[in-house]
Amino acid sequence: MSSSLKEILRLALTTTWSNRQVGRVVGRSANTVGRYRSLASAQSLTWADLAERSLDELDALFNRALRRTVEKEHPDWAWVHDQMQLRGMTRTLLWEEYRRACPEHALAYSQFSHHYRAYIRKLHPVMRQHHAPGERVFVDFSGRRPFYVDPETGERIVVELFIGVLGYSNYVFALACPSQQVPQWIKAHVLMFDAFGGAPRVIVPDNLRSAVTRPGKHPIIHRTYQEMASHYGSVVLPARARRPKDKAKVEGSVLIVQRWVLLRLRHRTFFSLTELNQAIAELVAELNRRPFKKLEGSRIERFEADESAVLQPLPAVPYEHGEWTSAQTVPADYHVRLGKHWYSVPFTYIGCAVDGRLSADAVEIYCSGIRIASHRRGIADGTTTDPGHLPKHHAMYAERTPEHFVRWAVGIGPATTPPGAGFALL
């Protein structure tokens, strides 16, 4: 600025040119030329007084003087920020109150807002997060939901859109689910891990009820969700409540999927959830192949090059969803009721508290985290008893059947064998 300043002063003080003409020649605005002309006039300076001055001297003489003339008084930004926390408070109201005290030295509203935003940024610095390959996956449901049409009734069936994104590669997985209930939430994770070909070490969900039973500083993870994560060798680390930057990765991916997938499907009609998911999978695959704007390569390239190989290998058997029942005490007949059916446990657990886990085909019963019994799932209003769970005298009594006595007689010899029984039992 110093070299142009000297030329501005020379032309302004030795010619009759207007501020606009001088500004056009030196590449400065007419307002800038006018300010320097006014400063020189206020100090009764001529070009003869300034011609031999160095550039630094001119800068000190005019720019420091200029800064002194436009110096404004800043409010106490800490007080402003404290007042902004009041319900209904606005920046405009605070600026008007601040300006009323001394209008000539007050900041304009735009400058007031600019300096206040700068103050806030210093209060809340944002840490840039770096994720190691295979370390984390961020999961959430989209706020915007897709739908399909029931071909028989014509009813529009609105469904949920599950989205998962790997922290390192930004590789995206998306799936339309009937609901946000636990079974659908778990199934979406199982299919996501299968699509990735492995499992990350950490799963970062939001605080929805299917994932977190009780949010807070020490959140309680839903038991089934925790069990599923353990099955894949992962841990669940929920995003902190009211800390959106903890899940910024998935929030950004949700917006991208909404734009590049849902909006592109808005003119298409689907007649089943399967058909909808096929279309979503095609567009997500295309999204993963799209080149990054600010990074080299694409999501699929980063995933295949650096992340796929370091994911934890999948277990031999996929996780099977099961519902846990409330704890109950084993009664004297050592049978507990799970899902409208009675199942036996070893009689030695009479009086102990046990939990039941019901999957599609099996029932498991646990005491203090140890499985003590398992059965095939029975029909309602029935009883399933494992002979190994009976006390010795109960087992002996249970054996008192016609078949047992015939078998006993045949074992003694021909004299006690009923006619035809030997052939029937061979």
Side-chain angles (χ1 to χ4, degrees):
M1 180 65 188
S2 297
S3 59
S4 61
L5 170 58
K6 193 164 189 175
E7 188 65 7
I8 288 173
L9 293 171
R10 184 183 70 82
L11 295 174
L13 298 176
T14 61
T15 69
T16 58
W17 289 359
S18 67
N19 293 337
R20 186 179 299 277
Q21 289 172 315
V22 174
R24 187 179 299 117
V25 171
V26 299
R28 299 292 176 180
S29 68
N31 289 339
T32 299
V33 175
R35 285 199 296 269
Y36 288 128
R37 190 194 294 271
S38 298
L39 287 171
S41 176
Q43 300 177 68
S44 301
L45 295 173
T46 65
W47 176 240
D49 300 323
L50 304 174
E52 301 301 324
R53 301 284 185 99
S54 68
L55 296 179
D56 288 341
E57 289 175 333
L58 291 176
D59 184 64
L61 181 63
F62 283 88
N63 286 334
R64 289 180 184 175
L66 177 62
R67 283 192 285 271
R68 285 195 299 271
T69 60
V70 298
E71 185 176 358
K72 301 294 184 179
E73 293 183 3
H74 287 231
D76 182 350
W77 295 113
W79 178 85
V80 172
H81 185 62
D82 183 64
Q83 294 298 302
M84 283 296 295
Q85 309 312 309
L86 298 178
R87 187 179 183 87
M89 181 57 71
T90 64
R91 282 203 308 267
T92 302
L93 178 58
L94 290 176
W95 174 73
E96 290 176 349
E97 292 178 353
Y98 144 78
R99 186 175 182 275
R100 196 176 298 126
C102 189
E104 62 274 14
H105 293 291
L107 295 168
Y109 177 73
S110 60
Q111 286 296 306
F112 181 90
S113 298
H114 168 76
H115 287 294
Y116 178 58
R117 285 193 293 267
Y119 174 81
I120 293 176
R121 284 195 295 271
K122 292 179 180 178
L123 286 180
H124 305 289
V126 177
M127 182 181 73
R128 187 174 184 84
Q129 298 187 29
H130 299 274
H131 304 290
E135 179 189 15
R136 297 187 181 219
V137 63
F138 297 83
V139 292
D140 201 359
F141 282 108
S142 165
R144 179 175 293 178
R145 300 183 295 171
F147 67 91
Y148 65 93
V149 176
D150 188 317
E152 295 183 358
T153 65
E155 178 186 1
R156 176 183 290 194
I157 310 297
V158 179
V159 296
E160 303 289 342
L161 182 64
F162 171 89
I163 296 174
V165 55
L166 288 167
Y168 173 79
S169 63
N170 291 312
Y171 191 74
V172 173
F173 171 85
L175 179 75
C177 306
S179 71
Q180 293 190 16
Q181 298 300 313
V182 175
Q184 303 302 326
W185 173 248
I186 296 297
K187 181 180 179 181
H189 281 73
V190 173
L191 294 176
M192 177 180 68
F193 294 149
D194 185 61
F196 290 163
R201 291 159 183 78
V202 181
I203 306 172
V204 184
D206 200 359
N207 287 274
L208 71 163
R209 293 186 63 85
S210 294
V212 182
T213 303
R214 188 178 70 190
K217 186 176 181 180
H218 303 288
I220 297 178
I221 310 302
H222 192 287
R223 184 172 185 176
T224 303
Y225 191 40
Q226 184 69 66
E227 183 184 57
M228 182 277 300
S230 298
H231 183 80
Y232 288 96
S234 303
V235 297
V236 178
L237 186 63
R240 293 172 296 174
R242 296 183 294 277
R243 294 292 189 276
K245 292 183 176 62
D246 284 5
K247 53 175 183 172
K249 180 76 67 171
V250 70
E251 293 287 357
S253 296
V254 165
L255 293 176
I256 291 173
V257 171
Q258 288 176 351
R259 292 168 185 163
W260 292 98
V261 176
L262 293 188
L263 289 179
R264 294 175 67 182
L265 296 176
R266 69 189 188 280
H267 297 308
R268 296 176 59 180
T269 301
F270 303 95
F271 296 99
S272 71
L273 186 62
T274 301
E275 186 181 349
L276 172 61
N277 271 321
Q278 288 175 347
I280 291 174
E282 293 172 1
L283 292 177
V284 168
E286 182 181 334
L287 170 64
N288 284 325
R289 291 192 298 267
R290 290 179 62 85
F292 289 119
K293 290 185 177 180
K294 298 182 180 180
L295 298 174
E296 294 185 0
S298 63
R299 291 173 172 81
I300 185 68
E301 290 174 351
R302 284 173 65 89
F303 172 74
E304 293 178 345
D306 302 319
E307 195 152 34
S308 176
V310 297
L311 290 171
Q312 299 181 107
L314 296 176
V317 179
Y319 176 80
E320 183 180 5
H321 174 260
E323 293 289 344
W324 287 92
T325 64
S326 301
Q328 56 182 299
T329 302
V330 178
D333 65 359
Y334 46 89
H335 284 71
V336 293
R337 185 175 175 83
L338 304 173
K340 298 183 179 180
H341 191 91
W342 293 92
Y343 300 93
S344 68
V345 301
F347 74 95
T348 53
Y349 288 93
I350 292 174
C352 297
V354 296
D355 300 318
R357 182 181 184 275
L358 289 80
S359 61
D361 301 315
V363 170
E364 298 171 301
I365 303 171
Y366 292 79
C367 181
S368 300
I370 300 174
R371 190 176 71 175
I372 61 173
S374 63
H375 302 274
R376 291 188 61 83
R377 189 159 183 175
I379 60 175
D381 300 323
T383 301
T384 299
T385 304
D386 184 339
H389 294 164
L390 279 61
K392 186 175 181 179
H393 59 287
H394 285 192
M396 293 176 61
Y397 182 82
E399 291 177 353
R400 298 179 63 180
T401 63
E403 293 80 6
H404 169 74
F405 287 115
V406 169
R407 225 179 260 109
W408 174 65
V410 170
I412 293 175
T416 58
T417 301
F423 297 101
L425 295 172
L426 291 178

